[in-house]
Amino acid sequence: MSTVRARVWRFTVEKGMAGAEAVQAVEIGQGSLPVSLAAVVNINALACDLRKTVDQRVRDHEISLLLSYIAGSPGTGPLGVDCPALDSSSLHIRRFVSECTGLGVMTAVSEALFDWEPGANGLSSFDILPGKLVGTYAKKGVRPDLLYDLAAGPLAGEARGRRRDHQQMFPAGRGTQPQKARLEKLAQWSVDHDDHAYFMSWVWLGTGGVYVDIFLPDDSPATAGLSTGWIDTPGGATPWRFRVPRPDPRRRPNLEPEEPLLNWPDDIPESSGEGPADGAGAYHEAAIRRAEPLVEAAMNRSFGREDTLGTFSGVEVRGRWIRGDAVGPARQEALLGVLGERLPLDHRAQRRRLDSPTADRLDVFLEGRLLTIVHPVDSPRPSWDRIQSELLE
């Protein structure tokens, strides 16, 4: 199980008549958090527009590309980055690798911070929400990356990933200007969307591994149970406060609805398109619930094209191994498998297993119907019996 170095902030949004007026953030502390590379691959395997054809060749190539630059460490070492290869790559490749890492680390770290137990629907991308949701989640402007389906309510997640070529990986003192600009926009987005809870992660890739700044809302039930036992360096008490620019009243977002993607029941409230409608909470929950058929349809298409690997708890599993050899000899490979149907899964038990210090434990992760394993190529591939036994454990 690899680790990343994390720095956590708590922030509050000060509101006025015009919406968000200021943001104040205070650093809580820093420390190392466990991150499964298999979990990073898992969240990126379906990070595409599922309304369109999911091209298996493209998916495999993107996973191979990610594994060519980002590597897991044996034991509890830091998640590795091939910085010479990354720095030699074109700008759009660097952005792709950084953003994929940012998205995966955001999900893995957030679950470790709060021991979240996702609901049956897990999480949903803002890019695949049904068209009628644009009355609550605007069609243009700020769109966070993910919606988390939590018992405390929906939580939006914003992920950023950047290459940082500095000896000190965390920017000293207060946050950076790009972080400030994004928090300004997200603060106003939250107010405009009925004080929708959100958080932001900012991943830095460097020679020493992967580092992440995490900005958490101070008053959200979803982030109330923050774990602090991992912190080894307490944060400073000096707050970072900045004002949020007032929105220009002459510029209004285009909230015209897209063509509906799914059939909606009549009892879900309509939105006027002027802002949050009555029953906006129903829209937030429906956003995740209604995106699930798109994911299931993509899983079914993928399942039908793959080779049989074995069975897990009586359910057939199909998939393939993908080597991380896009920029040279492979150092690791990933198994991407699809279950024939969903199985009940204890997410907390899975995280405890991944956190175990056992050196020879597989980096294996199961979310919904998608199974991922990352394995070094210089050792024999694990048998299906071993994979199944570790999952059942």
Side-chain angles (χ1 to χ4, degrees):
M1 180 61 138
S2 302
T3 59
V4 298
R5 185 73 179 177
R7 177 171 65 172
V8 172
W9 304 74
R10 283 283 201 186
F11 71 87
T12 55
V13 178
E14 302 171 16
K15 292 179 289 184
M17 296 295 293
E21 290 192 344
V23 175
Q24 179 170 288
V26 177
E27 182 188 343
I28 301 301
Q30 303 178 23
S32 294
L33 287 172
V35 168
S36 161
L37 184 54
V40 174
V41 171
N42 194 290
I43 189 61
N44 279 286
L46 286 177
C48 56
D49 190 342
L50 300 179
R51 296 168 295 189
K52 302 175 182 177
T53 301
V54 179
D55 192 314
Q56 191 176 45
R57 300 166 304 167
V58 175
R59 181 204 64 186
D60 293 357
H61 176 68
E62 289 182 348
I63 291 175
S64 175
L65 196 60
L66 177 62
L67 292 176
S68 298
Y69 292 92
I70 306 297
S73 296
T76 57
L79 198 64
V81 182
D82 189 344
C83 288
L86 193 61
D87 293 340
S88 300
S89 302
S90 61
L91 180 58
H92 68 277
I93 294 295
R94 294 203 299 271
R95 286 176 174 169
F96 170 81
V97 173
S98 299
E99 294 291 347
C100 286
T101 306
L103 185 65
V105 169
M106 175 184 72
T107 304
V109 166
S110 60
E111 292 185 2
L113 281 174
F114 302 101
D115 198 24
W116 284 339
E117 182 64 49
N121 297 318
L123 49 83
S124 174
S125 167
F126 268 83
D127 291 333
I128 60 171
L129 298 182
K132 283 194 175 182
L133 285 178
V134 296
T136 296
Y137 298 117
K139 180 179 177 181
K140 292 187 177 181
V142 175
R143 293 177 67 84
D145 296 301
L146 294 173
L147 278 173
Y148 290 82
D149 184 18
L150 306 176
L155 179 70
E158 172 80 358
R160 285 290 181 268
R162 297 290 185 270
R163 167 73 168 103
R164 181 171 168 82
D165 188 15
H166 290 73
Q167 187 173 3
Q168 181 174 332
M169 287 300 297
F170 284 128
R174 300 177 178 181
T176 65
Q177 180 60 33
Q179 288 175 332
K180 171 179 175 291
R182 196 59 184 170
L183 282 173
E184 290 174 353
K185 292 182 179 180
L186 288 170
Q188 190 61 54
W189 176 90
S190 175
V191 173
D192 290 344
H193 291 79
D194 200 24
D195 292 330
H196 197 300
Y198 71 94
F199 74 106
M200 183 179 77
S201 69
W202 204 279
V203 168
W204 308 104
L205 281 65
T207 55
V210 176
Y211 295 69
V212 56
D213 269 317
I214 305 169
F215 296 84
L216 303 170
D218 198 32
D219 55 355
S220 170
T223 61
L226 175 64
S227 170
T228 57
W230 56 276
I231 293 177
D232 56 34
T233 306
T238 303
W240 175 34
R241 185 180 183 277
F242 51 87
R243 297 193 62 81
V244 176
R246 292 189 175 221
D248 188 341
R250 297 169 297 179
R251 299 182 61 187
R252 298 181 60 82
N254 179 9
L255 297 182
E256 289 297 320
E258 297 173 338
E259 188 69 22
L261 302 177
L262 300 171
N263 294 322
W264 280 64
D266 295 335
D267 58 351
I268 292 182
E270 293 285 348
S271 169
S272 66
E274 298 296 326
D278 292 337
Y283 270 110
H284 299 157
E285 295 174 3
I288 300 170
R289 186 176 69 250
R290 292 294 176 177
E292 183 179 4
L294 295 173
V295 178
E296 290 300 309
M299 288 291 185
N300 291 336
R301 292 192 298 270
S302 179
F303 182 80
R305 293 192 296 260
E306 301 290 359
D307 297 327
T308 299
L309 298 170
T311 60
F312 174 58
S313 295
V315 174
E316 186 179 9
V317 184
R318 297 186 179 189
R320 68 177 64 193
W321 286 94
I322 304 168
R323 295 175 69 87
D325 56 1
V327 293
R331 294 169 294 171
Q332 55 194 356
E333 59 182 356
L335 175 67
L336 187 63
V338 182
L339 277 66
E341 62 185 69
R342 284 178 177 264
L343 290 174
L345 177 66
D346 187 339
H347 288 78
R348 292 192 175 102
Q350 180 176 228
R351 288 198 292 271
R352 286 193 296 270
R353 178 186 58 77
L354 288 170
D355 292 346
S356 170
T358 304
D360 61 347
R361 188 175 294 280
L362 292 177
D363 187 0
V364 53
F365 191 82
L366 175 61
E367 172 66 33
R369 293 172 59 187
L370 189 63
L371 170 69
T372 49
I373 299 172
V374 176
H375 179 69
V377 298
D378 58 0
S379 60
R381 286 178 178 172
S383 66
W384 183 253
D385 286 341
R386 181 186 176 189
I387 294 170
Q388 184 175 213
S389 66
E390 291 210 16
L391 284 171
L392 291 172
E393 178 186 307

